[in-house]
């Protein structure tokens, strides 16, 4: 007998999935998960008015936001990486800061600095751009490793330590970083510790011809970003994040997530598997993915849909896999097919 979900019942929610110890929701509680789909739909429509033909990418971006994670957008120039980040930022009425990463950028340019006030004869902390709800880091791999490391504490612990004093960051807090994987001159590859702090990595990809034609009509005269207005408040996003935390994850689903991550550590095609942090972020993202699908419980499909964007950027292929040009994405796809899916349980 499975226990009942503590999360909210969404009107019109689907019945339990045939996989994995899932439980139907039979009662309502206070957080406003009922409004999640409506509010997320407004944000999604706002972004789609700027980014044409990338509904899957936009959905994953919202998933990372509601999972309290961070997003790495990695693709060639000109496909809309920065445009996506700006569109999300402008769709939410919250403080947003953009940082252009360059080789001469210093850690204090991101976190802030203690400056001496001659009038009070005391040092005062001047907050850096990281003190915002959404921080857009453009071309993050162009900054030195020392500057990149300034984001480690921010992204993991939602706090900044400067001169021995610790300052908390407001919630929600999301870093959206972009990088170009092709042009590597004058860049510093992100260390594994940095990549592991990004919940997901996505690639925009080239638009379909029809979407590109639409882009010419919409973007021809002026940037649609100029007309973009907020469609959600900071308070609404906070409430949605809180509601997503209550989405139910059964024990078989948790074990399935662990099995998927463990498979990456045991694969002979990988010399570095996924970390325990990735297991946590995979489950958090699955909760948000389920909620955006109008469900208040996680099913195996949620984990399977997220395995590649959440795990692939954390993995290092073996020399044999590199010789065979096997990408981590392909290895994960094979592992998902081989790892047994939890059997259905009757409540």
């Amino acid at each position: 007998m499975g226990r009942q979900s503590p999360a909210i019942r969404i009107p019109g929610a689907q019945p339990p999935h045939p996989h994995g110890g899932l439980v139907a929701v039979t009662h309502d509680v206070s957080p406003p998960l009922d409004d999640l789909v409506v509010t997320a739909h407004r944000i999604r429509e706002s972004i789609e008015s700027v980014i044409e033909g990338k509904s899957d990418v936009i959905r994953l971006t919202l998933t990372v936001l509601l999972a309290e994670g961070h997003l790495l957008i990695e693709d060639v120039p000109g496909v809309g990486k920065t445009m996506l980040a700006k569109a999300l930022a402008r769709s939410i009425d919250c403080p947003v800061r953009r940082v252009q990463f360059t080789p001469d950028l210093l850690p204090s340019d991101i976190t802030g600095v203690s400056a001496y006030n001659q009038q009070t004869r005391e040092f005062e902390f001047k907050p850096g751009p990281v003190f915002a709800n959404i921080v857009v880091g453009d071309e993050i791999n162009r900054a030195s490793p020392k500057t990149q490391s300034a984001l480690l504490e921010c992204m993991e612990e939602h706090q900044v330590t400067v001169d021995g004093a610790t300052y908390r960051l407001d919630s929600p807090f999301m870093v959206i970083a972009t990088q170009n994987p092709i042009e590597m001159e004058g860049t510093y590859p992100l260390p594994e510790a940095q990549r592991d702090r990004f919940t997901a990595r996505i690639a925009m990809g080239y638009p379909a011809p029809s979407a590109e034609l639409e882009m010419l009509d919409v973007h021809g005269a002026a940037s649609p970003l100029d007309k973009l207005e907020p469609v959600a408040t900071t308070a609404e996003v906070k409430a949605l994040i809180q509601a997503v935390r209550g989405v139910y994850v059964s024990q078989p689903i948790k074990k399935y997530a662990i099995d998927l991550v463990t498979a990456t550590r045991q694969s002979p095609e990988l010399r570095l598997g996924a970390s325990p942090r990735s297991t946590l972020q995979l489950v958090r993202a699955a909760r948000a993915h389920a909620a955006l699908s109008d469900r208040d419980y996680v099913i195996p499909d949620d984990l399977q849909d997220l395995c590649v964007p959440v795990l692939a950027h954390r993995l290092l292929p073996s020399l044999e896999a590199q010789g065979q040009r096997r990408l981590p994405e392909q290895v994960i796809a094979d592992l998902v097919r081989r790892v047994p899916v939890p059997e259905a349980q009757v409540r």
Side-chain angles (χ1 to χ4, degrees):
M1 299 290 288
R3 71 174 181 84
Q4 298 214 353
S5 165
I8 301 157
R9 184 184 181 194
I10 305 175
Q14 303 172 14
H17 193 273
H19 298 138
L22 303 169
V23 206
V25 180
T26 57
H27 64 282
D28 297 326
V29 290
S30 54
L33 189 57
D34 291 347
D35 301 332
L36 173 60
V37 177
V38 177
T39 305
H41 184 66
R42 290 203 309 267
I43 300 175
R44 184 172 180 172
E45 281 187 334
S46 177
I47 300 174
E48 286 180 341
S49 68
V50 177
I51 306 294
E52 304 289 340
K54 296 295 177 183
S55 57
D56 291 343
V57 171
I58 295 171
R59 177 190 172 92
L60 181 58
T61 302
L62 292 177
T63 298
V64 174
L65 171 66
L66 298 182
E68 304 177 86
H70 310 286
L71 184 66
L72 179 62
I73 309 175
E74 187 176 278
D75 214 324
V76 298
V79 294
K81 300 188 299 293
T82 306
M83 185 75 75
L84 172 63
K86 287 183 176 179
L88 173 63
R90 294 196 181 188
S91 298
I92 302 172
D93 187 15
C94 64
V96 178
R97 299 292 296 272
R98 178 178 178 272
V99 181
Q100 180 64 54
F101 283 77
T102 56
D104 60 347
L105 196 71
L106 299 175
S108 58
D109 295 329
I110 298 175
T111 59
V113 64
S114 295
Y116 184 72
N117 188 322
Q118 293 184 347
Q119 294 181 343
T120 62
R121 296 187 178 183
E122 294 179 350
F123 282 93
E124 294 180 354
F125 179 66
K126 304 294 183 182
V130 78
F131 285 86
N133 292 120
I134 296 180
V135 178
V136 181
D138 212 2
E139 295 187 283
I140 187 174
N141 57 336
R142 292 204 174 276
S144 67
K146 183 177 181 180
T147 301
Q148 291 179 16
S149 66
L151 287 172
L152 294 178
E153 182 184 17
C154 309
M155 296 172 67
E156 180 67 17
E157 303 174 46
H158 290 194
Q159 67 182 31
V160 172
T161 302
V162 178
D163 294 334
T166 299
Y167 306 90
R168 295 293 302 175
L169 299 175
D170 289 337
S171 178
F173 175 69
M174 180 181 186
V175 174
I176 306 176
T178 70
Q179 71 172 358
N180 174 9
I182 304 300
E183 184 185 359
M184 303 306 288
E185 294 182 5
T187 64
Y188 302 87
L190 294 182
E192 295 308 316
Q194 182 83 40
R195 298 172 73 87
D196 196 44
R197 280 166 169 77
F198 285 100
T199 301
R201 180 189 63 180
I202 61 173
M204 298 290 294
Y206 291 111
S210 58
E212 198 160 1
L213 180 61
E214 178 99 9
M215 181 188 71
L216 294 177
D217 294 335
V218 175
H219 296 236
S223 172
L225 277 174
D226 298 335
K227 299 181 180 179
L228 211 59
E229 297 291 336
V231 296
T233 65
T234 305
E236 286 178 313
V237 174
K238 281 184 180 179
L240 298 179
I241 290 174
Q242 183 64 36
V244 166
R245 292 175 185 171
V247 171
Y248 179 62
V249 185
S250 69
Q251 286 300 121
I253 294 296
K254 292 177 182 177
K255 186 177 184 306
Y256 183 49
I258 294 174
D259 290 343
L260 289 169
V261 173
T262 301
T264 68
R265 302 168 188 164
Q266 299 173 345
S267 172
E269 296 184 282
L270 299 171
R271 57 189 175 95
L272 177 65
S275 66
R277 181 189 287 118
S278 65
T279 312
L280 179 61
Q281 294 187 348
L282 178 61
V283 172
R284 285 179 176 174
R287 282 191 168 106
H289 190 272
L292 290 173
S293 300
D294 202 7
R295 272 184 285 102
D296 56 0
Y297 51 88
V298 175
I299 61 177
D301 293 7
D302 296 318
L303 296 174
Q304 294 170 1
D305 291 344
L306 292 167
C307 268
V308 169
V310 172
L311 301 181
H313 64 288
R314 310 169 193 269
L315 310 178
L316 292 179
S318 64
L319 294 177
E320 293 78 9
Q322 289 178 347
Q324 298 173 4
R325 297 187 178 183
R326 288 272 289 170
L327 299 175
E329 290 83 351
Q330 296 171 311
V331 176
I332 291 176
D334 289 344
L335 293 178
V336 168
R337 285 192 289 268
R338 292 203 299 262
V339 174
V341 177
E343 296 181 359
Q345 293 182 356
V346 180
R347 196 159 51 120

